[in-house]
Amino acid sequence: MITQLHFMPNRKLSAFLFSLFVMIVVRSTAQQPDSMLHVYRTEYQQEKLHLHFDKQVYSKGETIWFKAYLRAGETPSDYSRNFYVDWYDHKGKLIKHTIHPVFESSARGQFEVPAKYEGRAIYLKAYTRWMMNFDSSFIYNTRLQVAQDDAAPKPAVKQPEVSLRFFPEGGDLIKGISATVAFKAVDQSGMPVAVKGAILNNKNELIDSIVSVHNGMGSFLLEPQANETYSCAWVDEFGITHNTPLPVAKSNGVVLESRLTGNKTIFIVKRSAAVSDNFKLLHIVATINQQMVYNASINLSAKLRAGGEIPTANLQTGILQLTVFDDHWIPVAERIVYVNNNNYQFFPDVYADTKRFTNRSKNTFSIHVPDSISSNMSVSVTDASFPSDSSCGIIAQLLLSGDLKGYIHQPSYYFSSDNETVRQRLDLLMLTHGWRRIRWEDIVAEKPLQLKYPIDSDYLQIKGKLIMEKNNPIKPNQQLTLIMQSKDSTKQYFMTPIAADGSFNQRGLIFFDTVKVYYQINADKKLSDRLSANIQSGIPLMDIPASLKPIDYTRPDTSGLRAGNLFYTSAATVRSRFDTTVTLKDVVVHSKAKSNVEVLDEKYTTGIFSNRNDYAFDIMNDERAKASINIFYYLQNLIPGLTMSIPMMGANGAEDANSDNVPGLNWREGTPDIFINEMPADALSAMNLSMTDVAYVKVFKPPFMASTGNGASGAIAIYTRKPADRSTDRIKGMNSATLNGYTAYKEFYHPDYTYPVAKKPDTRSTLYWNPYVLTDKKNNTIKINFFNNDLTRKFRIIVEGVNAAGKLARVEKIIEP
């Protein structure tokens, strides 16, 4: 028989706990966890994020629109200024790495699904540089469905591989102590699977039966006995039988039980009879959002159990972590419970001023925020017949999924009601998902966090180092004139000081796509003619997280894809009505065009350097190259087996002036030879080349016969641009460099049918998208206007957002005639 919460009836429980509470010692004066937790909370608060997409299913060639919300603790995050998204195809290959500036603890962006995309989903990871310092399990990842026509090849549905895991409450099974054991069954994609089975001992005797009660989860009571081990014989919902061993019980230890009841969390700590002295005086600490809310010591010298209660009425909604330490402050048991005080929301009111459903008719909606606190929201309006996934909105993501490892199925369910059934199922979720944002061994040892990536506290920069002739040193108080020109020819002018070593840094810039930067030393034209510069945009260089492994088996969302395909089929029908022109097919003679790399190889290489036993890179047309500091940063991680230690950057963002600070290259336990324009060179010379001067790079696999030795470690050949490939776009003879900025952002297209326009089919499934709807005390009602398409007959409007106090909002409405 399955029991969800294995506690005594309330009246008996109260009397029982009263006898236990006398064992709780006065709150511990030990400040080790308290003081260090404060440091972690104030200096190392961890970020989490949510992405609001305009919809959940897309067609090939369509644009995915999104808004990102960043949070740290209970409030919007002010840590990061830059936000990153990695987009992967169905095979796990990185399609694009996009970078976006953060405003008001949020960012906006878009991604175009490739026109010839073959997969049925786009996968993505989203993160900040600050998030990369912590457990990668908490990095945001999701997938978006891509509708394909019926002729498209469908992925083969693989046989489900179901696994069952057991989670003793508190962490361990201890012989002779009764404890709750939760379980969870999932397939290889992390989707829940219903199961039932029997718990057996090593004598094949029935101990208990189990049945999952919600999303593959359930629980049972077990008191492990000496000389017994346990296993579970079970069958999944597909009819496949399995046998899984339970965790082996320890001979001695501590068990932690906990239950949230009313406005308090009750806990019981039990120990086995034969334990060492360090298990007789215990400490219990409770934290929420890295803040300690309870700290006490428990004396079990004369007792085997003790209990207590933690007031929760005034806590923020979130995960409360209870940790039991031994007398040496080593963690020995842990339990998480969810505190939901329903104090996390603000409530925008959404209503239709004018609603019309005829083709291309104008609609006006209003969004009213009754609070005087400023808010930051995003709004999408889509065809209501289109599929919508409401299972993980901003509330569920930032208050639940973002704090748990692994996939959480339909997390919004746990906020759908406050009834007992939902609360019990939420506690099952807590029992089956560990929460390890806090490394107690570091906290107790007062060990500061070792950061690989500092806080990304600035936007883009124009920074670098001037390369001067020896007899032309930098004069005191000399300044550099910078002119930044975007693709539309708009210009911005800056004056920045030059340090004695030639370095400079113009901070706090925001620019998109690529820009041309012109530079010269003020009032010294002759000196400017004799200098060059290694300039970069300051986009942080970091390792992209390991590729997502696409879900190779999942029970597909057939209803969602079916609805999406139905809409796109209807859209194609509408478009065909406008297509009345008959076009004769042209006769085309196909020939294989040379690639850019092949053209460059013929243009730049000679003799043995022309052989194809190499990796070749078109630097002139590679956006990644434009954002790289030098050729070694560019090549890092691109050549299998080639490793390099890249020089550290100085305080001003330029390389250390020390001539010994050059890359350490290694390939097949040796150092590759370096050639510049097919002449032998050293790493320092190659490192000082501006990437805007480089046209082509080849990396030859070992052995390379043009080397002075036997070429056992290969070679790197760098080719600088010929005159015909150099830019002639100059401003009054000034030197220039091309820099990469943030990923170009395009505005969502809102057609205006107020006046007659050329009759073309309008089959938009997203009718309105606005990533920044901002309100404040004086302006708390926002009107949105949009025109219908040629298909839609009812609208779905979704509003998500956060206010300055950290409260969250999600509104979803269907508007129909």
Side-chain angles (χ1 to χ4, degrees):
M1 183 173 179
I2 309 304
T3 307
Q4 290 306 306
L5 292 170
H6 308 287
F7 273 80
M8 304 176 189
N10 287 341
R11 189 176 301 173
K12 292 183 179 179
L13 177 64
S14 298
F16 174 67
L17 287 178
F18 179 78
S19 67
L20 297 180
F21 289 165
V22 297
M23 303 310 299
I24 298 290
V25 180
V26 180
R27 290 180 187 272
S28 172
T29 57
Q31 295 299 310
Q32 286 178 303
D34 195 2
S35 58
M36 202 60 192
L37 269 175
H38 178 73
V39 172
Y40 271 57
R41 178 176 172 82
T42 55
E43 297 184 19
Y44 307 122
Q45 185 69 266
Q46 299 180 38
E47 289 181 313
K48 48 190 173 181
L49 61 87
H50 168 69
L51 266 64
H52 176 195
F53 299 97
D54 63 309
K55 55 187 179 183
Q56 295 296 317
V57 179
Y58 298 85
S59 66
K60 294 178 288 186
E62 200 169 17
T63 299
I64 298 170
W65 303 92
F66 67 86
K67 164 80 168 287
Y69 293 91
L70 287 168
R71 185 177 175 92
E74 306 95 4
T75 59
S77 172
D78 61 358
Y79 279 75
S80 299
R81 294 293 178 268
N82 302 306
F83 170 73
Y84 308 86
V85 186
D86 299 329
W87 304 85
Y88 296 87
D89 67 11
H90 58 296
K91 297 179 181 179
K93 180 181 178 182
L94 181 67
I95 304 173
K96 191 172 185 180
H97 172 70
T98 61
I99 309 175
H100 314 271
V102 174
F103 301 100
E104 299 285 341
S105 305
S106 58
R108 65 178 184 176
Q110 80 286 322
F111 172 81
E112 290 188 8
V113 180
K116 296 182 179 180
Y117 190 69
E118 297 179 353
R120 293 182 179 268
I122 290 283
Y123 301 82
L124 63 100
K125 281 187 177 181
Y127 52 95
T128 64
R129 188 163 66 145
W130 181 246
M131 291 173 67
M132 296 290 290
N133 288 306
F134 306 96
D135 191 335
S136 61
S137 301
F138 294 101
I139 288 179
Y140 178 93
N141 67 83
T142 192
R143 69 171 192 159
L144 300 169
Q145 297 185 91
V146 178
Q148 298 281 5
D149 57 58
D150 292 338
K154 297 181 179 180
V157 177
K158 296 184 178 181
Q159 179 73 17
E161 298 174 8
V162 183
S163 60
L164 179 65
R165 291 188 62 192
F166 295 93
F167 304 87
E169 184 175 15
D172 294 316
L173 287 172
I174 305 298
K175 292 179 181 179
I177 300 179
S178 178
T180 297
V181 180
F183 62 86
K184 180 181 179 183
V186 297
D187 63 23
Q188 64 264 46
S189 68
M191 298 292 287
V193 177
V195 297
K196 60 182 179 180
I199 304 298
L200 307 171
N201 63 13
N202 51 351
K203 300 175 184 178
N204 210 33
E205 297 171 337
L206 177 66
I207 304 299
D208 203 349
S209 61
I210 67 167
V211 178
S212 58
V213 296
H214 177 69
N215 285 343
M217 298 181 292
S219 66
F220 58 95
L221 275 175
L222 179 65
E223 183 176 335
Q225 301 299 312
N227 302 317
E228 284 192 355
T229 58
Y230 303 90
S231 63
C232 180
W234 54 283
V235 60
D236 62 37
E237 65 181 67
F238 307 104
I240 303 172
T241 58
H242 310 262
N243 194 289
T244 301
L246 270 65
V248 177
K250 295 182 176 180
S251 298
N252 298 293
V254 171
V255 169
L256 170 64
E257 297 180 8
S258 181
R259 177 186 178 186
L260 186 65
T261 175
N263 292 325
K264 57 189 176 183
T265 294
I266 296 171
F267 66 85
I268 300 173
V269 179
K270 298 181 284 187
R271 71 167 176 86
S272 51
V275 294
S276 55
D277 289 343
N278 59 303
F279 282 93
K280 295 179 180 179
L281 180 60
L282 305 173
H283 311 280
I284 185 165
V285 171
T287 62
I288 190 167
N289 285 322
Q290 295 178 255
Q291 180 178 6
M292 183 181 293
V293 296
Y294 185 84
N295 180 13
S297 294
I298 305 173
N299 191 338
L300 292 182
S301 298
K303 295 281 186 178
L304 296 181
R305 62 180 64 196
E309 62 182 43
I310 303 170
T312 58
N314 296 321
L315 297 181
Q316 292 290 326
T317 293
I319 293 176
L320 180 70
Q321 179 179 4
L322 284 72
T323 306
V324 176
F325 301 84
D326 70 5
D327 193 29
H328 303 310
W329 285 97
I330 297 173
V332 294
E334 188 172 86
R335 170 78 149 92
I336 59 175
V337 296
Y338 199 86
V339 177
N340 187 351
N341 286 325
N342 293 306
N343 53 0
Y344 52 81
Q345 285 183 281
F346 71 103
F347 301 94
D349 185 19
V350 180
Y351 54 89
D353 299 310
T354 304
K355 58 177 181 178
R356 297 189 178 96
F357 300 93
T358 56
N359 290 5
R360 309 190 181 197
S361 54
K362 185 177 181 179
N363 292 266
T364 301
F365 288 9
S366 290
I367 301 173
H368 174 71
V369 180
D371 300 333
S372 59
I373 300 176
S374 61
S375 66
N376 176 3
M377 299 176 290
S378 48
V379 181
S380 66
V381 180
T382 58
D383 187 306
S385 66
F386 215 72
S388 175
D389 182 7
S390 302
S391 64
C392 190
I394 187 171
I395 293 171
Q397 172 61 28
L398 292 180
L399 296 183
L400 183 61
S401 296
D403 279 330
L404 295 174
K405 293 183 179 182
Y407 171 71
I408 310 301
H409 190 61
Q410 298 178 337
S412 292
Y413 165 80
Y414 303 105
F415 297 89
S416 63
S417 172
D418 200 33
N419 65 39
E420 185 65 20
T421 298
V422 174
R423 287 200 300 269
Q424 289 182 2
R425 291 175 175 179
L426 177 57
D427 197 55
L428 271 179
L429 186 72
M430 297 295 100
L431 284 165
T432 56
H433 285 78
W435 194 91
R436 295 297 299 170
R437 282 192 182 273
I438 297 177
R439 292 178 56 86
W440 283 115
E441 56 271 31
D442 293 344
I443 295 287
V444 173
E446 297 187 342
K447 179 181 178 181
L449 189 65
Q450 299 298 313
L451 299 177
K452 182 177 180 181
Y453 303 102
I455 294 176
D456 205 354
S457 58
D458 200 0
Y459 294 111
L460 301 183
Q461 306 156 48
I462 302 176
K463 65 180 183 179
K465 187 174 183 180
L466 300 178
I467 302 172
M468 308 290 295
E469 296 179 1
K470 292 183 178 180
N471 57 349
N472 289 287
I474 298 296
K475 299 176 182 178
N477 301 319
Q478 206 151 30
Q479 289 190 318
L480 191 69
T481 297
L482 300 169
I483 303 175
M484 186 171 69
Q485 178 177 301
S486 60
K487 284 187 174 181
D488 63 1
S489 297
T490 57
K491 299 181 180 67
Q492 296 183 62
Y493 296 82
F494 307 97
M495 300 277 287
T496 186
I498 307 172
D501 65 352
S503 61
F504 58 91
N505 192 348
Q506 181 66 43
R507 305 172 64 89
L509 303 178
I510 294 176
F511 53 89
F512 296 87
D513 205 355
T514 57
V515 297
K516 183 81 75 174
V517 175
Y518 299 89
Y519 58 94
Q520 73 173 16
I521 295 178
N522 288 4
D524 200 333
K525 179 65 170 60
K526 292 182 179 180
L527 185 58
S528 296
D529 289 340
R530 295 193 296 272
L531 68 84
S532 60
N534 188 356
I535 300 180
Q536 55 163 319
S537 62
I539 294 177
L541 295 167
M542 50 190 267
D543 298 329
I544 294 176
S547 169
L548 280 171
K549 181 182 179 181
I551 297 175
D552 56 2
Y553 164 80
T554 184
R555 285 159 285 169
D557 180 9
T558 54
S559 61
L561 280 175
R562 186 163 52 246
N565 281 326
L566 180 61
F567 178 90
Y568 290 120
T569 300
S570 300
T573 302
V574 170
R575 288 194 294 269
S576 69
R577 294 172 185 166
F578 291 84
D579 185 12
T580 58
T581 303
V582 177
T583 304
L584 295 177
K585 292 185 177 179
D586 294 329
V587 176
V588 180
V589 177
H590 295 280
S591 62
K592 184 180 178 181
K594 292 181 179 179
S595 67
N596 287 345
V597 167
E598 289 174 327
V599 172
L600 288 172
D601 206 75
E602 291 181 1
K603 185 175 183 178
Y604 280 89
T605 66
T606 62
I608 196 171
F609 288 89
S610 300
N611 80 62
R612 299 301 174 89
N613 184 32
D614 57 40
Y615 300 92
F617 303 96
D618 174 8
I619 303 300
M620 291 190 293
N621 296 302
D622 189 338
E623 295 297 321
R624 184 176 176 274
K626 296 176 184 178
S628 297
I629 297 175
N630 57 48
I631 195 63
F632 299 114
Y633 274 103
Y634 173 80
L635 290 175
Q636 193 174 22
N637 300 324
L638 289 181
I639 311 299
L642 174 63
T643 62
M644 55 187 76
S645 57
I646 302 297
M648 297 297 294
M649 303 299 291
N652 294 318
E655 286 93 351
D656 194 308
N658 188 342
S659 62
D660 293 332
N661 194 12
V662 296
L665 307 177
N666 185 281
W667 203 1
R668 291 194 174 182
E669 300 182 354
T671 301
D673 292 306
I674 295 176
F675 297 85
I676 298 178
N677 296 327
E678 301 183 356
M679 296 295 293
D682 56 27
L684 182 61
S685 299
M687 187 176 69
N688 286 332
L689 285 174
S690 171
M691 290 300 288
T692 57
D693 291 333
V694 179
Y696 185 48
V697 173
K698 298 183 75 173
V699 180
F700 295 94
K701 299 175 183 178
F704 181 61
M705 299 307 175
S707 297
T708 53
N710 60 10
S713 296
I716 300 173
I718 305 167
Y719 296 87
T720 58
R721 299 192 188 203
K722 295 179 181 289
D725 291 329
R726 294 184 180 273
S727 172
T728 58
D729 182 14
R730 301 174 67 85
I731 296 179
K732 296 182 179 179
M734 294 175 66
N735 296 312
S736 67
T738 300
L739 299 183
N740 257 17
Y742 292 113
T743 301
Y745 181 79
K746 66 179 183 180
E747 295 293 334
F748 182 84
Y749 172 63
H750 295 100
D752 186 349
Y753 294 132
T754 304
Y755 303 101
V757 295
K759 194 67 172 177
K760 295 182 178 180
D762 185 344
T763 57
R764 295 168 295 132
S765 56
T766 300
L767 303 170
Y768 180 87
W769 168 254
N770 188 343
Y772 280 101
V773 175
L774 308 177
T775 68
D776 53 32
K777 183 178 181 179
K778 295 181 179 180
N779 185 26
N780 62 355
T781 300
I782 304 295
K783 292 189 178 295
I784 65 173
N785 301 290
F786 65 92
F787 289 84
N788 195 14
N789 57 24
D790 295 330
L791 287 169
T792 299
R793 295 300 175 260
K794 59 180 178 179
F795 309 127
R796 174 182 282 107
I797 181 169
I798 296 178
V799 178
E800 291 194 330
V802 61
N803 68 15
K807 306 291 186 184
L808 306 173
R810 190 179 196 279
V811 178
E812 180 173 350
K813 283 189 173 183
I814 301 295
I815 310 295
E816 50 192 344

